[in-house]
Amino acid sequence: MDHAPRTGFSSPTSTRVVDVLVPVALNQTYSYRVPRGMELKAGDVVGVPLGPREVLAVVWGENANPDPRLHNRLKDVAEKLDVPPLKQELRSLVDWVANYTLSSRGMVLRMCLRMGEHLGPERVRIGVRLVGEPPQRLTAARKRLLAVLSDRLLHGKSEAAHEAGVSTGVIDGLVDEGTLVTEPLPPAPPPPAPDPSHAQPEFSRQQRTAVDTMRALAASGSFHVALLDGVTGSGKTEVYFEAVAEVIRREKQSLILMPEIALTGQFLDRFAQRFGVRPIEWHSELTPRTRQRNWAAIAGGEAPVVVGARSALFLPYADLGLIVVDEEHDQSYKQDDGVHYHARDMAVVRGHIAKIPVVLASATPSVETEVNARKGRYQRVVLPQRFGGAHMPHIEAIDLRREAPQRGRFISPRLAQEVQNAIDRREQALLFLNRRGYAPLTLCRACGHRFACTICDAWLVDHRFRQRLVCHHCGFSMPRPHVCPNCAAEESLAAIGPGVERLQEEAASLFPDARTMVLSSDLITSIETMRSELNAIAEGRVDIIIGTQLVAKGHHFPRLNLVGVVDADLGLGNGDPRAAERTWQLLNQVIGRAGRDQGRGVGYLQTHQPEHPVMKALIACDREAFYASEIEARERTLYPPFGRLASLIISGGDRPIAEGFARKLATTAPRDERVLLLGPAEAPLAVIKGRYRFRLLLKSARNVDLSDYLRHWLAAAPKTTGNLKLEVDVDPQSFL
C-alpha cells in the first residue's frame, strides 16, 4: 500500500509524517512523509499521490506515531500549494458537519476547495504590444489589429483580438514577424474596498433602534444570534448593512448568504449605493477564472464582504467577523444532493465555532427560528412597519366556490377586473402561480392516455414556449406530439391545469393592450438576461408580471400595487409536514411585493378553502395566530423543532431488490424506545431517473442524538451492493 490510514504506533524520529484529508468521498485521513526542506503545518493545502494520480489534500494534523511497519511504504507529499492554509475554525466546521450529517469529511472538505479546481496562483495572462514596423503583407485583419495596438501600450491578447475582430492566430503571426511582442500582464489589482461611511442612510426612529442593536452585535466580537424580524419593505437590508459597516471598520470580513444569488442584481446595486462598490460574489454561475480570483481574495483577506449562495459558507475566510443569512426561512438553503446540510443551521454552527455574531433576517421566520427567538436563544430585533410610512398590503380572499372563472379560464372575474383597474391607473399587477410551464399534465381526450416520464414517477409538463413535454425531476423531454401515441387520435391532446405560460396566454386575451412578462426559473438563459428583465419591471416597462416563486425573493418593484395569487391552495395538499408553514411564508412574501413604494398594495387569494387556518391568518394579517397554531401542532406531534427527523432513501434499478434491502435494513435498526422508525414505504416520488425509491423515516425527541443513533445503526447494517444506493438526510426538508 502506497499510502496508509492513520495508525497509532511509534515512528522513527528522523522522519516527519502528517495526516492529510483528501476532498473525495473518504472519511479517514491518510499518512504521508514530509520531504526534507518542506515546511508543513495543519491546514496547508498540498498535492499528494493517491493511487496512480496526484490529488489535492489538506494537512489535518501531525502524526507523531505512525506504524513503523509502514515506514518504507509511505509516499512523500508531492508539493505544497502557494495558497493560505485552512484555519482551525474551518477544519473544525468540516469535522462537525461531517459528523452531524453522516457525510464523509472528504466531501465536506471538497466544498471548501471549490471542488478542487484551479487552486494555486492565478494563471499568468499574456499581453501583446506593438514594437516593430508593419509587416510586408498587410491584410485587412492585420490593419484592424495594428490600429487597435497603435498606442504601443500593453493589451490583453484575447481582448485585443476581440476588439479588432480577428483570431489570436493573426496576433501570433505578427509576433513571429517581430511586429508585436508578448509580455506577461501584471496581475489584476484587488477590487476597491467597500467604504462603511460612503452613503449612510437616514433611518426612521424604529430603524435607528434596530441599527444600534446591529452595530453593537457586530462590535461585540463574540458568538450571538439575532433574528432581524421585519415586515416586507421595512428596510431589513439597510439595517443589517450597518452591522456589515461596523465589521468593515474593524477590518474583518462579512458573509451575506442569499437563497438565490443569481437573481440578486437589485441587492448588489443597493450594496453599491451604500458602500460605493459591489461586494465579491460567490455562486455557481461564476467563470472558473473569476472563481479562482475570488477564492484567492477571500482566503487572502482581500474580500471584505462576500455575497454568496449556500456554498459560500464553506470558503476559507482569512478573518470572518459576521455572517448574515438573508431570507433565512427559504427552502433553497437546504442542499439535497451530496452533503445534505442546511446552510442556515450550519451558519449558526460556524458562528459558534468562530465565536462571531450571526444575523438571521426574514419577514416570515421559519418555525424553528421563531421558537428559538421565543425561548430566548436568539435575540429578536423587530421592524414592525414599512419604511417611509408605506402600508402593508390589504389581503382579500376570492372564494372560487362562489366566484369561479369561466370554463377553461383560471383568472376569476373579480381578479380580472382588479387587474384592469390597476392597468388603467398605470400601475403594475403580479399574477402569481407556483407552477412552471404551460400545463402540468397532457392527456388524450379520446382514450385518456396521460403523458408520463419514461424513467420517473411523474407527469410530463407541457412547455409551450419550447414546444416540448418536460420532466421536472430528471430533465427528460420530448417534442409535443400532434397524435396520441396510444390510440393514434389526431388533435386530441388536451392541456390540463394551468402553468405560468398558460396564464400569460389568458392574460394576453383578457388584457390585449398590456405588456406581460413571465418570470420562471426554467426560462432563465443567463444571469444577465434575468437581471435585465427585473430591471425592465422595476423601470415600469411591464404592466403584468406572471411569475413563480422566483418573484417572491426580495425584489423591489416601485409600481407594483396589486398581487393576484391564482391558486393559493397549491402547496397545502402535498403531505409535507411543513406545507402550512411554506404556504404561509410564500404567499406572505409574494403579496409583500405590493405597495412598497407608491400607493396601497392589495393582495387577492383565489382559494377553494378560505376557512383554512393559513388563509384566515393571511387575510386577517394575523401572524401571531398562524405561529401559535403551527407551533402548538408541532409541539403536540413532536415535529421539529420539538422533535428530530432523519430520512433514509434506498434506491435501485430493480424494485424488488430495493424494497428487500429497505426491509432488511429496517430489521437491523437498534431498539431504542426514544426513536420511532416508520417504514419502509414507497417514497411519494416512487421512481426518479429509473431508480425505485423506498423511504425510512426516523423520529425522536429533541434531546436524542439522532446522528449518533444512525451512525451505530449503519455501522452494523448490511452494506449496499450493485447499483443500490442509500442516502441519509438528517433534518430533511423535502419529503418527496
Side-chain angles (χ1 to χ4, degrees), residues 367-393:
V367 171
E368 288 87 346
T369 298
E370 176 68 20
V371 169
N372 278 326
R374 292 186 178 206
K375 290 182 176 293
R377 299 189 189 106
Y378 297 169
Q379 177 184 5
R380 190 193 301 271
V381 183
V382 181
L383 293 170
Q385 295 177 352
R386 287 189 156 182
F387 180 68
H391 296 284
M392 292 299 295

Side-chain angles (χ1 to χ4, degrees), residues 111 255-264 267-268 280-286 291 294 298 306-315 317 323-326 330 332-335 341-344 346-347 350 527 531:
M111 297 188 290
L255 166 63
I256 303 174
L257 289 178
M258 307 200 77
E260 296 282 355
I261 188 62
L263 310 174
T264 53
F267 175 88
L268 298 174
I280 293 290
E281 293 183 64
W282 187 266
H283 52 80
S284 60
E285 298 295 322
L286 298 177
R291 289 172 71 82
N294 289 0
I298 290 163
V306 178
V307 175
R310 59 181 179 241
S311 60
L313 182 64
F314 292 91
L315 292 171
Y317 298 92
I323 302 174
V324 177
V325 184
D326 203 357
D330 198 285
S332 303
Y333 283 123
K334 182 62 189 273
Q335 178 159 298
Y341 71 93
H342 197 299
R344 176 200 62 215
M346 297 307 106
R350 182 157 194 178
I527 295 177
R531 288 175 177 172

Side-chain angles (χ1 to χ4, degrees), residues 355-368:
K355 298 181 175 57
I356 60 173
V358 179
V359 175
L360 310 179
S362 178
T364 53
S366 63
V367 171
E368 288 87 346

